[in-house]
């Protein structure tokens, strides 16, 4: 179970780094994938950059916790950071995104993050 817990945590952290990179360097497609399309050349450019920094930093913090503080610290981090995709789900719903994206991407991500936290607590 430890291998599964660590693997899932690392994959989720790396996915956050990927999302951060995507929002910083490919903001148009990243915003569309998020569920609320935005023009990176317009007023939304700052929002897209903030999202990129937030996601990238979450990935770095998660990896650092796992490497230097251990599974339980990462579990608490995952438990807390599950609020982010839940918030993203609400943002997508509130701003005209589809329910499929809100629930199929953001709610599903929150559930996977919570599963990761549970597995890490068991290690």
């Amino acid at each position: 179970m430890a291998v599964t817990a660590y693997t899932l945590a690392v994959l989720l952290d790396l996915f956050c780094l990927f999302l951060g990179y995507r929002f910083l360097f490919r903001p148009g497609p990243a915003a569309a994938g998020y569920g609320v399309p935005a023009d990176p050349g317009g007023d939304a450019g700052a929002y897209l950059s903030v999202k990129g920094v937030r996601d990238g930093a979450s990935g770095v913090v998660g990896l650092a916790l796992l490497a230097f503080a251990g599974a339980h610290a990462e579990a608490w981090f995952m438990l807390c950071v599950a609020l982010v995709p839940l918030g993203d789900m609400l943002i997508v719903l509130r701003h005209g995104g589809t329910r499929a994206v809100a629930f199929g991407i953001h709610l599903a991500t929150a559930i996977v993050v919570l599963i990761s936290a549970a597995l890490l607590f068991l290690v």
Side-chain angles (χ1 to χ4, degrees), residues 14-63:
L14 290 174
F15 186 64
C16 284
L17 285 172
F18 166 74
L19 289 175
Y21 167 84
R22 192 165 179 224
F23 269 93
L24 289 171
F25 298 104
R26 302 280 299 147
Y34 176 83
V36 183
D39 178 12
D43 291 340
Y47 138 74
L48 297 170
S49 296
V50 167
K51 174 105 171 70
V53 170
R54 179 192 80 176
D55 288 347
S58 292
V60 170
V61 169
L63 290 170

Side-chain angles (χ1 to χ4, degrees), residues 82-103:
L83 293 171
V84 172
L86 290 173
D88 290 345
M89 176 189 72
L90 295 174
I91 290 166
V92 169
L93 290 172
R94 185 172 178 214
H95 293 279
T98 67
R99 294 171 83 80
V101 169
F103 299 128

